Amino acid sequence: MMGCNGYLLETAECCLAVDAPQGFARWVQRHLPQGKRLAHLLVTHQHFDHVQDAAQLQEETGCTVHAAAPYSDALTLGENLRHWGIDPVAPFRVDAPFAPGCATLELGGLECRALHIPGHSTDGAAYYFPALQSAYVGDILFAGSIGRTDFPGGSLARLVAGIREHLATLPPDTELLCGHGPSTSVQEEMLNNPYLC
């Protein structure tokens, strides 16, 4: 409904998912490589469109959920959903919350740096995989734009500062996989994104 991207990443040991939009749990069932299990779900932030299937995915696969904050109705925009007539998000358990700043995780044999970047949402997070030269950035950054900052807890200044501190310092050819729309790169955004250049 919201055109939200969910990602499935296969490693030598298991599979990882990034975000769980509506319909993603069913999609994962059909596309999970034979013999592999979904071991981890990385939540870029808890706005409803990114976690509508998180509880179902967790229940069906037993995956460990990583996020920058415990589950919260406020973070899913529960009050807004009630006004919009959209079903609330089923609560899920955040098994591995990480502290604000930067945390290094080992997921499926890969190093992952969890980067806390608030501004679009207070729990905004990007996940950088150095070996893959890619970062999953949710709604922090889009090709040619950034996430909106008019939701509760939003801050344009904090968002831009976090992008400059955590994403702009990654290698220029790092692929940025966004929560909506196409992927882009650090170099492309630093040269052409009107919010950053």
Side-chain angles (χ1 to χ4, degrees):
M1 177 177 74
M2 303 298 293
C4 182
N5 296 329
Y7 297 94
L8 182 64
L9 172 63
E10 183 180 5
T11 78
E13 298 178 8
C14 62
C15 287
L16 321 172
V18 181
D19 286 342
Q22 187 176 38
F24 189 64
R26 187 167 22 101
W27 185 90
V28 166
Q29 286 180 343
R30 294 195 312 266
H31 293 87
L32 199 63
Q34 188 171 6
K36 290 286 176 74
R37 69 182 188 91
L38 182 68
H40 302 278
L41 170 61
L42 311 177
V43 175
T44 63
H45 63 300
Q46 293 180 46
H47 284 175
F48 73 98
D49 51 329
H50 291 259
V51 295
Q52 283 172 306
D53 274 13
Q56 181 181 347
L57 206 57
Q58 186 175 50
E59 180 180 344
E60 292 176 353
T61 68
C63 63
T64 298
V65 177
H66 303 263
Y71 168 84
S72 162
D73 179 72
L75 289 174
T76 68
L77 304 177
E79 189 63 32
N80 298 69
L81 297 181
R82 289 183 275 281
H83 287 298
W84 297 335
I86 298 174
D87 290 338
V89 170
F92 54 92
R93 182 184 68 257
V94 175
D95 304 294
F98 59 88
C102 176
T104 300
L105 314 172
E106 190 280 321
L107 303 172
L110 291 175
E111 177 189 329
C112 173
R113 295 181 199 161
L115 311 170
H116 181 222
I117 305 175
H120 171 67
S121 177
T122 57
D123 66 330
Y127 299 92
Y128 171 53
F129 291 86
L132 304 178
Q133 297 181 297
S134 62
Y136 296 84
V137 298
D139 292 0
I140 294 166
L141 179 69
F142 302 122
S145 189
I146 60 173
R148 57 190 290 182
T149 57
D150 58 337
F151 287 129
S155 166
L156 178 60
R158 289 182 75 193
L159 182 58
V160 171
I163 292 170
R164 290 191 181 284
E165 179 183 355
H166 293 296
L167 298 182
T169 55
L170 298 177
D173 59 349
T174 301
E175 182 180 22
L176 303 176
L177 297 120
C178 308
H180 302 267
S183 64
T184 183
S185 70
V186 169
Q187 179 173 296
E188 173 66 25
E189 297 313 307
M190 295 313 296
L191 288 175
N192 297 306
N193 190 311
Y195 292 93
L196 304 172
C197 58

